Amino acid sequence: MRGVFVDANESLAVIFERLEKQGDPRVQIHRDPDVTPDQLPGVIDDAEIAIVDHTALPTEIARKCAGLKHVVFLGTGARSYMNPEELAELGITVHLIRGYGDTAVAESTVALMWAAARGIAQMDREMRAGNWLREDGMQLTGKTLGLIGFGGIAAEVARIALGSGMRVIAWNRSAKAYPGVAFVDLNTLLVASHVISLHLLLNDETRGLLSRERIASMRPGVILVNTARGALVDEGAMIDALKSGHIRHAGLDVFNIEPLPVDHPLTKLPNVTLSAHSAFRTPEASENLIGAAWEHCRRIATAA
């Protein structure tokens, strides 16, 4: 059995090579993070396993990869890059990796929350332009943080936020419990929260969950943080709410279009802090991620 890591950047390639063990299935590393979907049939060739970091694998492209039986996606958001159900009809199983970066993403979420509350990025930009910008920030101790979705990342955010003196409430589609967190219905969360943070997978049920109507129901002056998926939010409604001040500030790591175009409306708003879909990017998370990818490959090869 043979595999190909189709879009490895150099740092992930080095970790992948280091974590290889004797007896592992043969996996070729294609060191090109900018590979395009139309190049994938040539890259994958007749390999049975494709390890994919961030490159789209449209169904019509996968159909041209005759030997492909397994896709190991480096993360949980495979639906943003491929259609697992359509691939399954071709006999291709998509494997996800969960939990590898829970702490990394949670820490980034909290960093965006604090940066938004104190306007740090805006002050930095203004000072570099020669302007001595001083405005009142939001003190977060005692404020309510609402977590929409409650998996491993949200649990880590709750741990950090509770330790900093915030009240934490959460909504999840299935019943959950966590010490110190009050689970409420979604409408209650939207109305009560001073800060709202998204922690949901993207699927047909969650796409556009934060609709214009739901954004309007949020507390005026709310801070919105999204380190999950851009399409969970009605982007146009969010931009309108930022312009009006209904949303005080947004801390965003994910977007409908990535990379974010230089002329995108979000880049023009002063009350937005942007990061380049990098919440998960720490050496510790990368080690966990690649280790889990190898475990998938070993299990697939053993079962073959």
Side-chain angles (χ1 to χ4, degrees), residues 168-230:
V168 181
I169 61 177
W171 171 82
N172 196 64
R173 288 178 294 165
S174 58
K176 288 286 182 75
Y178 188 89
V181 176
F183 286 83
V184 299
D185 64 79
L186 183 56
N187 289 335
T188 297
L189 183 146
L190 295 173
V191 171
S193 300
H194 298 91
V195 181
I196 291 174
S197 185
L198 289 162
H199 300 283
L200 291 168
L201 293 175
L202 179 63
N203 56 37
D204 291 339
E205 293 181 13
T206 62
R207 187 178 299 274
L209 182 80
L210 278 192
S211 62
R212 185 173 293 273
E213 181 181 11
R214 283 179 170 146
I215 289 173
S217 73
M218 294 176 182
R219 177 194 291 266
V222 67
I223 288 172
L224 177 64
V225 179
N226 190 2
T227 55
R229 284 292 182 270

Side-chain angles (χ1 to χ4, degrees), residues 1-6 25 27 44-52 57 62 65-74 82 84 87-88 90-96 293 295-304:
M1 178 164 286
R2 189 172 74 86
V4 180
F5 189 166
V6 302
V27 179
I44 296 171
D45 195 19
D46 61 351
E48 295 94 336
I49 303 171
I51 300 170
V52 178
L57 180 61
C65 305
L68 187 61
K69 298 299 180 187
H70 300 272
V71 173
V72 177
F73 181 77
L74 298 185
M82 62 197 71
L87 293 184
L90 299 179
I92 302 169
T93 302
V94 177
H95 307 266
L96 306 180
E295 287 303 317
H296 272 305
C297 292
R298 290 164 189 146
R299 180 178 51 78
I300 292 166
T302 301

